[in-house]
């Protein structure tokens, strides 16, 4: 059957920029899947999505005008229901056949086949293939219905509806035209009160003709670019903006480059149909303001691309992505410079005003800010973070070093006390994204020292996957205390994540705790940290230690699997609940190396068998009386254990987990011989207890690094 390419376009008013790419992808993919489900596409059909601020479109190759007929077998009813004792059709069967468009003559053609415990009647028929007009109508309706629109608009239709001016439709934005071309032929479909045609609109200001007429489905992008001054493809438009940004920065010179921000680039791509990058500038006096403030206001409020020098320092020039290309761009650049100036002036004003008060003078104000109705104010929260931070700091080597103890502990306490005070500043009030960052700037202005300033700035880190950790130990302690306070508090009042809802970002906080304990090499037990954090809450919470510990290990397990460790490897290590997360990676490396040994499978199986024996035995004392040995195999196993177990234990204590497990691999043969020749559960009680004790000693030694039974297939 001959096929032609298909084009569908919805021309609408400006779409939400942050959702544009998702809308375009969803529109094209649902259209394609629906046509495919109706047999209107070929095996080699492909879909191309288009999305610009004022259009959603899809180009699909190799689409048939008529789907092939297909044979369908339909179950009707059990034989006992459809046929009477004489084998004649019952009224129920005749009624069912009539509903399918068949008469009594079809009874003879029915097939009987087993269906579970009973036998059923089946009807074979040929279903006529869908026409493109019908199939596309269904697919288009489905694509519109399934668009991921968080909030729809309702608007009235003026034409082609039952009640002009009164009939309404719901869509993300008012739609103005619909294109449906199969090759060069218009497919007669309707949507949102629109009838399909072959014309659309180009750029709002710079289209060469209006309307833009499309000769066929394959000239869509080229015709829009030539006659409509529109780059229809989101991907191509994004690449063109990136190219122009790079070229504009090179033209400025001096090694400057536009800020690298994929989210901003996506948003700007969704705001323009024909990008034109221009260079603008602002007064150098604004560079006295922290560059994070200036960058944020330019990006968030104006969608500008700040220019950074080779050292990453902000310059007083920035790039604007305009949607028009005038012969004289001075009016555009001048307008953007006038617009950004008040924004930067506001930032400078906030910065100057905030520095008139010290962070310490703002501490009292935290008592007036509610944190949570069950956990009190930010002031109470600060007191808890201070207490938890002091407890963590006391566990570290710095606290035990008399030369640095006082300075270290004071820096931790000061940073914990002042970490949240920048929430009360004008700058953070205007730009909440700068919390922590501004605290660092104001701490330096107050002369609090670099360690304290960095700790205040970094105490929210790591804020997301891949984010850097706090830069110094004071910062790690305060960040750890801040996250533990949130976790313990929320778990203590039963405010836990459910499904995809996690309003207090507890999963992210747990991953932050995991990363700091793992990567900052803090030699502190996880359960000790949780236990010392709980008293800071007094009677506001119930003890969440067990639930919170499991939650954190679950996050650790997921993170390790994402890093490429197998589920068996992760289960083997985490089954022991290792308290010092900094050595989990070493344990995993050791387990992976052990699993590669030829003896590993047999030893893992033996380990599992030993565990089952001991579980059934109940309480077993890890004690052996050599005088009770009767079999050569148990004597041989004990002898090699006496030699290898101390060696393996010494390697374990030295942190060489790989060597410790590999030393135990030598036990394979004597362990196999033991199970072949020795009856563990002997009738004599003293023999049974002695053999169980021998296995208990072996089990403890084998599972010091990881639970090896998890490696058993």
């Amino acid at each position: 059957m001959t096929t032609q390419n298909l084009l569908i376009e919805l021309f609408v008013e400006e779409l939400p920029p942050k959702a544009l790419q998702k809308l375009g992808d969803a529109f094209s993919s649902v259209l394609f899947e629906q046509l495919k489900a109706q047999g209107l596409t070929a095996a080699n059909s492909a879909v191309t999505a288009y999305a610009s601020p004022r259009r959603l479109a899809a180009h699909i190759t190799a689409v048939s005008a008529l789907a092939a007929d297909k044979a369908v077998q339909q179950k009707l009813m059990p034989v006992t229901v459809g046929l009477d004792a004489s084998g004649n059709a019952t009224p129920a069967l005749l009624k069912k056949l009539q509903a399918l468009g068949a008469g009594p003559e079809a009874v003879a053609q029915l097939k009987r086949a087993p269906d579970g415990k009973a036998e059923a009647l089946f009807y074979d028929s040929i279903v006529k293939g869908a026409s493109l007009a019908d199939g596309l109508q269904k697919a288009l309706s489905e694509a519109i219905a399934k668009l991921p629109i968080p909030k729809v608009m309702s608007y009235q239709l003026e034409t082609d509806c039952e009640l002009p001016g009164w009939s309404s439709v719901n869509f993300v934005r008012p739609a103005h035209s619909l294109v449906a071309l199969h090759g060069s032929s218009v497919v007669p479909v309707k949507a949102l009160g629109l009838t399909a045609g072959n014309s659309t609109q180009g750029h709002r200001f710079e289209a060469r003709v209006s309307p833009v007429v499309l000769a066929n489905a394959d000239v869509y992008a080229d015709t829009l670019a030539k006659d409509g001054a529109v780059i229809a493809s989101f991907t191509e438009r994004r690449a063109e903006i990136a190219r122009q940004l790079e070229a504009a920065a090179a033209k400025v010179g001096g090694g400057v480059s536009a800020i690298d921000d994929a989210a901003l680039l996506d948003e700007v791509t969704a705001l323009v149909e024909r990008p034109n990058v221009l260079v603008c500038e602002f007064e150098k006096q604004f560079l006295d303001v922290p560059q994070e403030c200036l960058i944020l206001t330019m990006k968030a409020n104006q969608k500008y691309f700040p220019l950074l020098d080779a050292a990453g320092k902000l310059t007083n020039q920035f790039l604007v992505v305009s949607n028009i290309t005038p012969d004289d761009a001075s009016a555009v650049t001048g307008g953007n410079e006038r617009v950004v100036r008040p924004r930067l002036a506001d930032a400078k004003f906030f910065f100057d005003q905030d520095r008139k008060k010290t962070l310490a003078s703002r501490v009292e104000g935290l008592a007036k800010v509610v944190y949570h109705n069950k956990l009190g104010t930010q002031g109470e929260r600060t007191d808890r973070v201070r207490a938890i931070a002091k407890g963590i700091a006391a566990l570290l080597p710095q606290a035990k070093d008399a030369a640095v103890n006082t300075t270290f502990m004071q820096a931790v306490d000061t940073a914990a006390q002042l970490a949240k005070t920048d929430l009360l500043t004008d700058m953070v009030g205007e730009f909440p994204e700068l919390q922590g960052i501004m605290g660092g700037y104001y701490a330096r202005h107050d002369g609090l020292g670099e360690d304290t300033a960095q700790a205040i700035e970094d105490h929210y880190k790591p804020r997301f996957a891949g984010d850097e950790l706090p830069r110094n130990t004071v910062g790690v302690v305060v960040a750890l205390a801040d996250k533990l306070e949130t976790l313990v508090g929320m778990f203590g009042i039963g405010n836990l994540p459910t499904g995809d809802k996690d309003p207090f970002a507890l999963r992210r906080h747990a991953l932050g705790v995991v990363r700091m304990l793992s990567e900052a090499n803090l030699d502190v037990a996880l359960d000790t940290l949780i236990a010392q954090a709980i008293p800071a809450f007094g009677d506001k919470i119930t003890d969440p230690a067990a639930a919170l510990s499991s939650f954190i290990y679950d996050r650790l397990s997921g993170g390790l699997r994402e890093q490429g460790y197998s589920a068996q490897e992760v289960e083997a290590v985490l089954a022991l609940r290792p308290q010092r997360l900094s050595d989990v990676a070493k344990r995993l490396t050791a387990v992976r190396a052990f699993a590669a040994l030829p003896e590993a499978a047999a030893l893992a199986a033996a380990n599992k068998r030993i565990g089952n024996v001991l579980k059934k035995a109940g309480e077993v004392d890890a004690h052996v009386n050599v005088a009770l040995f009767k079999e050569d195999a148990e004597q041989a196993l004990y002898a090699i254990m006496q030699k290898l177990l101390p060696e393996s234990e010494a390697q374990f204590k030295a942190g060489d987990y790989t060597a410790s497990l590999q030393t135990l691999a030598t036990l394979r043969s004597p362990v196999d011989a033991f199970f072949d020749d020795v009856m563990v559960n002997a009738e004599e009680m003293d023999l049974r207890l002695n053999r169980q004790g021998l296995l208990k000693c072996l089990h403890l030694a084998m599972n010091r690094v990881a639970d090896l039974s998890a490696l058993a297939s």
Side-chain angles (χ1 to χ4, degrees):
M1 187 178 293
T2 41
T3 62
Q4 295 190 77
N5 297 339
L6 176 71
L7 173 76
I8 301 295
E9 186 211 61
L10 264 177
F11 178 74
V12 300
E13 293 182 15
E14 276 73 6
L15 292 159
K18 291 186 178 178
L20 179 63
Q21 188 173 21
K22 188 184 293 186
L23 291 172
D25 290 343
F27 182 72
S28 60
S29 63
V30 174
L31 266 176
F32 181 69
E33 291 303 320
Q34 287 294 314
L35 292 174
K36 181 179 179 182
Q38 296 177 77
L40 288 164
T41 59
N44 62 341
S45 292
V47 60
T48 302
Y50 294 96
S52 83
R54 298 201 296 161
R55 70 200 73 239
L56 298 174
H59 180 270
I60 303 172
T61 61
V63 176
S64 301
L66 183 66
D69 297 344
K70 61 179 179 180
V72 174
Q73 186 176 76
Q74 187 171 351
K75 176 187 170 185
L76 299 181
M77 58 189 66
V79 171
T80 53
V81 176
L83 301 176
D84 60 20
S86 302
N88 297 318
T90 64
L93 177 59
L94 293 174
K95 187 176 181 180
K96 181 70 173 177
L97 287 171
Q98 185 180 8
L100 295 174
E105 68 280 358
V107 173
Q109 280 79 48
L110 296 182
K111 292 182 179 178
R112 300 169 63 150
D115 182 51
K117 294 182 179 179
E119 193 175 30
L121 295 171
F122 291 85
Y123 175 61
D124 289 337
S125 62
I126 301 296
V127 176
K128 192 166 180 60
S131 68
L132 178 57
D134 292 338
L136 180 57
Q137 185 65 66
K138 180 182 177 183
L140 185 57
S141 299
E142 194 76 9
I144 291 172
K146 289 187 174 180
L147 280 178
I149 307 169
K151 198 170 185 179
V152 297
M153 291 180 66
S154 180
Y155 60 94
Q156 283 68 46
L157 301 176
E158 297 297 333
T159 59
D160 202 12
C161 61
E162 186 178 351
L163 296 171
W166 292 91
S167 297
S168 64
V169 293
N170 297 318
F171 194 53
V172 58
R173 292 291 185 270
H176 294 296
S177 70
L178 172 66
V179 173
L181 287 174
H182 186 227
S184 58
S185 302
V186 174
V187 184
V189 293
K190 294 184 177 183
L192 303 174
L194 303 169
T195 300
N198 66 344
S199 64
T200 184
Q201 295 294 323
H203 193 283
R204 193 181 286 277
F205 307 110
E206 301 189 351
R208 192 169 66 86
V209 296
S210 180
V212 176
V213 178
L214 303 169
N216 59 64
D218 294 335
V219 300
Y220 177 67
D222 291 341
T223 303
L224 263 182
K226 179 168 63 77
D227 293 342
V230 170
I231 301 175
S233 167
F234 187 95
T235 303
E236 290 178 18
R237 206 163 57 255
R238 191 182 192 274
E240 173 61 16
I241 293 172
R243 185 195 66 76
Q244 289 191 34
L245 289 172
E246 187 176 347
K251 189 174 180 180
V252 170
V256 301
S257 59
I259 194 165
D260 184 11
D261 190 320
L264 177 61
L265 183 55
D266 285 341
E267 189 172 359
V268 170
T269 303
L271 287 169
V272 299
E273 291 193 311
R274 187 188 188 190
N276 177 32
V277 173
L278 302 171
V279 181
C280 303
E281 64 179 37
F282 57 83
E283 290 80 357
K284 289 187 176 181
Q285 67 184 34
F286 292 121
L287 293 176
D288 294 337
V289 180
Q291 70 176 43
E292 292 90 345
C293 308
L294 305 181
I295 290 172
L296 183 60
T297 191
M298 284 193 282
K299 284 174 19 180
N301 296 318
Q302 304 305 136
K303 315 306 175 191
Y304 296 157
F305 287 83
L307 284 173
L308 309 179
D309 65 19
K313 187 175 173 59
L314 181 67
T315 70
N316 70 317
Q317 292 178 295
F318 59 95
L319 302 179
V320 174
V321 183
S322 173
N323 195 35
I324 57 176
T325 311
D327 293 333
D328 181 5
S330 60
V332 179
T333 56
N336 281 285
E337 289 169 354
R338 282 194 302 275
V339 167
V340 79
R341 193 172 295 115
R343 295 282 187 183
L344 303 183
D346 285 347
K348 187 175 189 307
F349 174 78
F350 294 147
F351 185 56
D352 292 340
Q353 289 298 111
D354 287 342
R355 287 182 296 170
K356 292 178 181 178
K357 289 180 66 175
T358 64
L359 291 179
S361 70
R362 299 179 187 272
V363 172
E364 189 176 339
L366 292 172
K368 300 175 184 177
V369 180
V370 175
Y371 167 56
H372 190 281
N373 64 336
K374 292 184 179 180
L375 297 175
T377 65
Q378 285 286 3
E380 293 174 275
R381 185 182 184 212
T382 293
D383 291 339
R384 293 193 293 266
V385 172
R386 288 178 72 184
I388 296 169
K390 288 178 184 176
I392 296 171
L395 299 171
L396 302 183
Q398 290 90 328
K400 299 174 178 62
D401 186 340
V404 299
N405 175 276
T406 303
T407 304
F408 174 66
M409 295 297 284
Q410 183 60 51
V412 167
D413 188 47
T414 301
Q417 181 186 34
L418 302 180
K420 302 297 180 185
T421 52
D422 68 353
L423 296 176
L424 303 178
T425 62
D426 291 338
M427 187 71 83
V428 174
E430 181 71 14
F431 302 113
E433 302 91 334
L434 295 176
Q435 55 190 284
I437 293 171
M438 295 314 301
Y441 277 105
Y442 297 143
R444 293 181 184 91
H445 180 264
D446 294 347
L448 295 177
E450 190 59 22
D451 276 3
T452 302
Q454 286 185 359
I456 292 172
E457 182 178 341
D458 292 351
H459 83 278
Y460 291 104
K461 295 179 180 178
R463 292 158 295 191
F464 49 84
D467 190 20
E468 60 185 14
L469 297 184
R471 287 164 287 181
N472 60 51
T473 307
V474 175
V476 170
V477 169
V478 177
L480 199 52
D482 184 63
K483 287 171 174 55
L484 280 172
E485 192 279 337
T486 301
L487 289 165
V488 171
M490 291 301 162
F491 268 75
I493 61 174
N495 198 349
L496 310 183
T498 55
D500 60 349
K501 295 180 180 178
D502 188 7
F504 288 90
L506 301 187
R507 295 184 180 96
R508 178 165 56 80
H509 284 309
L511 285 171
V513 169
V514 165
R515 281 196 58 199
M516 283 186 281
L517 291 178
S518 302
E519 298 172 31
N521 291 317
L522 296 185
D523 190 22
V524 182
L526 175 60
D527 286 352
T528 300
L529 284 178
I530 295 173
Q532 67 88 29
I534 293 173
F537 289 84
D539 60 359
K540 289 183 181 290
I541 64 171
T542 56
D543 188 346
L548 178 53
S549 180
S550 295
F551 181 75
I552 292 174
Y553 278 113
D554 285 345
R555 302 283 78 70
L556 173 59
S557 175
L560 291 171
R561 288 198 298 272
E562 286 177 4
Q563 293 174 35
Y565 293 104
S566 71
Q568 283 184 315
E569 291 167 345
V570 172
E571 183 186 351
V573 171
L574 297 191
L576 302 186
R577 286 291 193 263
Q579 287 295 296
R580 282 162 174 77
L581 304 190
S582 55
D583 70 355
V584 166
K586 284 200 301 182
R587 289 173 184 257
L588 284 164
T589 300
V591 167
R592 180 167 286 182
F594 173 78
L597 297 175
E599 301 90 350
L603 277 173
N607 186 276
K608 188 173 184 177
R609 184 175 179 181
I610 292 169
N612 291 334
V613 169
L614 295 175
K615 189 182 296 182
K616 290 178 182 177
E619 291 293 326
V620 175
D621 182 21
H623 176 74
V624 177
N625 181 354
V626 294
L628 292 174
F629 286 152
K630 285 193 171 184
E631 304 292 343
D632 292 343
E634 59 186 331
Q635 292 176 352
L637 176 59
Y638 180 73
I640 196 165
M641 283 171 58
Q642 290 296 100
K643 175 186 176 185
L644 296 182
L645 265 53
E647 183 181 344
S648 174
E649 183 177 5
Q651 291 163 336
F652 175 83
K653 288 181 177 178
D656 192 349
Y657 301 145
T658 301
S660 180
L661 284 180
Q662 290 180 338
T663 296
L664 295 174
T666 314
L667 290 166
R668 176 187 172 176
S669 295
V671 168
D672 288 346
F674 177 87
F675 279 114
D676 287 342
D677 301 342
V678 178
M679 173 68 70
V680 177
N681 293 324
E683 292 185 7
E684 299 93 330
M685 181 61 70
D686 55 349
L687 285 182
R688 183 191 312 169
L689 293 177
N690 198 55
R691 288 166 181 173
Q692 289 173 350
L694 176 65
L695 292 180
K696 180 74 171 184
C697 293
L698 179 59
H699 196 255
L700 290 173
M702 291 178 74
N703 295 304
R704 194 178 281 116
V705 174
D707 180 0
L708 298 185
S709 66
L711 302 178
S713 56

